[in-house]
Amino acid sequence: MFARCFCSVHWRTLPFGRRRVYFHSTAKEPRLVLGIETSCDDTGAAILDENGKILGEALHSQKDVHLKTGGIIPVVAQKLHADHIDSVVNEALSASGLTPQALSAVATTVMPGLALSLGVGLSYSLKMVKQYSKPFIPIHHMEAHALTVRLLHQVEFPFLVLLVSGGHCILAVAKNVADFLVLGQSLDEAPGESLDKVARRLSLINNPDCSAMSGGQAIEHMAQFGNKELCNFRIPMSHHRDCNFSFSGLRNHINYVIQQKESEEGIQQGQILSCAADIAAASQHTVARQLAKRTQRAILFCKEKGLLPAANATLVVSGGVASNGYIRRILKNVSYSMDVSLLCPPPKLCTDNGVMIAWNGIERLRAGVGILYNAEEVRYEPRAPLGTDISDIVRKADIKVPTLKEKLFLDIA
């Protein structure tokens, strides 16, 4: 509806200089979507065409500001989004060589996320679509993470997706665009949040090698030099035969161990333990094992219920924590052992960005789903479920998962 048409024109010269025009074919210009992301602490914008070509993108990260405060302060994040959103969007447009008039639609994250951050992106977008008379496509942040892989690979529906980030941990079957069956999710903290808090409790920001890293990045970096066997942390919810997750209890246990070690070494909080790398390695390993165990049960459930193709089933892992190489390798080993293909977006597209929002907009535009021509009543939603929750059905299936063979976790650098 919004694509412009161009015709291939052939000319034939006639007597007295007249020319006859022949219209041989009609080609449609690919539709273009601007994606805007402000759900947490990154301001992102990107323009994609419906063939998946990235025409322009820009990102402003707030990481350095929040590292200094020890965590994200919503009012600070809001101000930084407001200060930079216009320049980020204009940078993406400039890189694409396009004007807003050329856009087919604007797609923006409206759920879930930090309320103040979501509000900045939504307010900016609504003004833009009104000014240029463009359709608006509201985006669920986790849906965007789940579908990003289809920008890069020919992944057909349905597929299993594990979404792991600083704010979420979800196992779901992606049946189609905007159609998900949630098998399980975190009952308290997300894995990224827990690892960030462990990093802060270990004071890793005071390690020169980690001073410019996020908490999760610091844990992964330190874990390379540690021995995961020196701290024995139990996998949470091991006796619950479902696909839900829990990380807060694990984090509390880790904090207790850190406190004990500080007492043994006679150091104050803020100083770095001699065994910090070992604790980092064990923390990362235990989080990875819980993710692997739940994913293993999800695969067995999907096979039992026929929710995935009998052959060539795919597991997609996405979200900020999917950037962790150690966790990726463990999930790759698990998926291989269960005859399932594993696909992950590159780290750049696992963290929050405008590209995934624009691509989700393209997916919805193609499917004709959720396109609004009057967006005045759209509101942001800090908490919003993804799809239909069938976690009770998974629990009632009472699927026993075979013990994960230790070789899946050995020799992983």
Side-chain angles (χ1 to χ4, degrees), residues 105-124:
V106 175
T108 303
T109 305
V110 301
M111 67 183 87
L114 297 177
L116 296 178
S117 294
L118 290 169
V120 174
L122 178 58
S123 176
Y124 183 92

Side-chain angles (χ1 to χ4, degrees), residues 74-143:
V75 292
V76 174
Q78 178 191 36
K79 184 178 186 307
L80 291 171
H81 281 306
D83 288 346
H84 294 280
I85 188 168
D86 191 58
S87 60
V88 166
V89 170
N90 285 328
E91 184 180 341
L93 284 167
S94 177
S96 71
L98 298 168
T99 63
Q101 289 88 343
L103 299 172
S104 303
V106 175
T108 303
T109 305
V110 301
M111 67 183 87
L114 297 177
L116 296 178
S117 294
L118 290 169
V120 174
L122 178 58
S123 176
Y124 183 92
S125 300
L126 292 182
K127 289 177 183 177
M128 189 174 189
V129 297
K130 184 176 182 179
Q131 180 179 354
Y132 296 104
S133 301
K134 299 297 178 181
F136 181 65
I137 307 176
I139 299 295
H140 191 295
H141 186 76
M142 302 314 293
E143 178 181 304

Side-chain angles (χ1 to χ4, degrees), residues 352-371:
D352 297 348
N353 60 87
V355 171
M356 71 179 194
I357 306 304
W359 175 249
N360 198 168
I362 291 290
E363 290 264 33
R364 282 178 165 262
L365 200 60
R366 285 174 170 176
V369 176
I371 306 164

Side-chain angles (χ1 to χ4, degrees), residues 36-57:
I36 297 176
E37 157 63 19
T38 65
S39 67
C40 190
D41 61 334
D42 285 325
T43 311
I47 296 152
L48 271 65
D49 70 16
E50 64 182 314
N51 298 317
K53 184 177 181 181
I54 302 172
L55 304 176
E57 59 177 312

Side-chain angles (χ1 to χ4, degrees), residues 146-147 150 154-159 173-180 307-309 363:
L147 299 181
R150 284 168 46 89
Q154 290 185 333
V155 183
E156 299 297 327
F157 295 111
F159 58 85
V173 176
K175 296 177 64 180
N176 212 322
V177 176
D179 188 1
F180 292 80
L307 295 176
L308 295 176
E363 290 264 33

